[in-house]
Amino acid sequence: AQSVTQPDIHITVSEGASLELRCNYSYGATPYLFWYVQSPGQGLQLLLKYFSGDTLVQGIKGFEAEFKRSQSSFNLRKPSVHWSDAAEYFCAVGPTGGFKTIFGAGTRLFVKA
Amino acid sequence: NAGVTQTPKFQVLKTGQSMTLQCAQDMNHNSMYWYRQDPGMGLRLIYYSASEGTTDKGEVPNGYNVSRLNKREFSLRLESAAPSQTSVYFCASGATETYGYTFGSGTRLTVV
């Protein structure tokens, strides 16, 4: 069965430090992979997506993610975190048949001054 | 601004009451979705509509009904609210399954 795992429930980083959020998936074919961000009290916003081709994809707000088929991973990275990046981040995989995308449980990012 | 609009933003219901959550998108997307978000559980799909005139159950459909009124609007109805339905509800739309979704800002529902 398809699934998405985000191993870290929450992560704290210092402002200006680098960030990596982990995502592992289980999928029977070549997946479509997504990262979304949710600011407090808001809906989710699409950060980036991977379909095929270059395994390093660039997104909005300075984020990037790398697809590693051998590790079934799609980790999100940012070289230098800003206080405004504090939010919850969701990894997702689709399609899973019937137009359904599966979301991970989320990783909450805290940024300290 | 183009996007997904949900109403209401907040609602408190008594157990057994009914209500309808409204969702409208102006991006001409074919697919629309209703999710609920609970702490530590991510987003769980309640119902979806792949195109106008079709609806299908998702992961947690019990206690809910939906209507795809037209291409723009997709409503979620709770016929007899229960405390277990206390949650934040999100509507989303997408041009295709592989395109990614646009989400509304959510409805925070409390059932007492």
Side-chain angles (χ1 to χ4, degrees):
Chain A
Q2 297 93 342
S3 65
V4 178
T5 302
Q6 294 181 245
D8 304 304
I9 296 173
H10 55 80
I11 283 181
T12 300
V13 300
S14 298
E15 191 169 17
S18 63
L19 170 70
E20 182 169 26
L21 301 182
R22 297 183 291 162
C23 173
N24 294 98
Y25 66 89
S26 173
Y27 195 77
T30 300
Y32 290 75
L33 295 159
F34 309 86
W35 274 99
Y36 289 83
V37 60
Q38 183 181 30
S39 298
Q42 301 298 313
L44 281 71
Q45 179 184 20
L46 182 64
L47 277 176
L48 49 79
K49 55 191 175 186
Y50 170 79
F51 294 159
S52 64
D54 192 347
T55 57
L56 184 64
V57 294
Q58 303 297 320
I60 63 172
K61 306 186 182 203
F63 285 91
E64 66 179 25
E66 186 172 13
F67 170 62
K68 293 185 177 180
R69 184 186 301 276
S70 61
Q71 298 177 20
S72 297
S73 69
F74 188 56
N75 294 348
L76 182 71
R77 303 195 295 246
K78 187 170 185 178
S80 177
V81 170
H82 187 263
W83 64 266
S84 60
D85 293 324
E88 190 154 20
Y89 292 80
F90 292 91
C91 182
V93 63
T96 62
F99 292 83
K100 290 176 281 188
T101 293
I102 296 176
F103 288 81
T107 297
R108 183 167 294 278
L109 173 65
F110 297 96
V111 180
K112 61 182 180 181
Chain B
N1 291 335
V4 177
T5 302
Q6 289 184 237
T7 56
K9 293 189 182 300
F10 302 93
Q11 184 72 48
V12 178
L13 291 179
K14 294 182 179 179
T15 298
Q17 287 185 317
S18 63
M19 79 162 295
T20 299
L21 281 64
Q22 306 288 350
C23 175
Q25 53 94 6
D26 58 5
M27 296 168 288
N28 202 37
H29 286 166
N30 290 318
S31 305
M32 297 186 74
Y33 309 84
W34 276 106
Y35 285 89
R36 60 177 290 172
Q37 183 179 31
D38 302 290
M41 303 189 74
L43 279 78
R44 293 182 291 169
L45 182 64
I46 305 170
Y47 271 93
Y48 66 99
S49 171
S51 61
E52 184 179 356
T54 68
T55 60
D56 284 286
K57 295 178 180 179
E59 182 183 356
V60 288
N62 292 344
Y64 306 94
N65 285 300
V66 291
S67 296
R68 183 75 183 266
L69 305 172
N70 47 54
K71 191 170 187 178
R72 292 186 63 249
E73 298 172 286
F74 188 40
S75 62
L76 178 72
R77 182 163 178 82
L78 287 70
E79 293 289 353
S80 179
S84 61
Q85 294 178 305
T86 293
S87 187
V88 181
Y89 291 85
F90 287 99
C91 177
S93 71
T96 67
E97 179 69 11
T98 58
Y99 182 80
Y101 297 164
T102 299
F103 281 83
S105 58
T107 296
R108 184 173 294 275
L109 175 67
T110 302
V111 183
V112 298

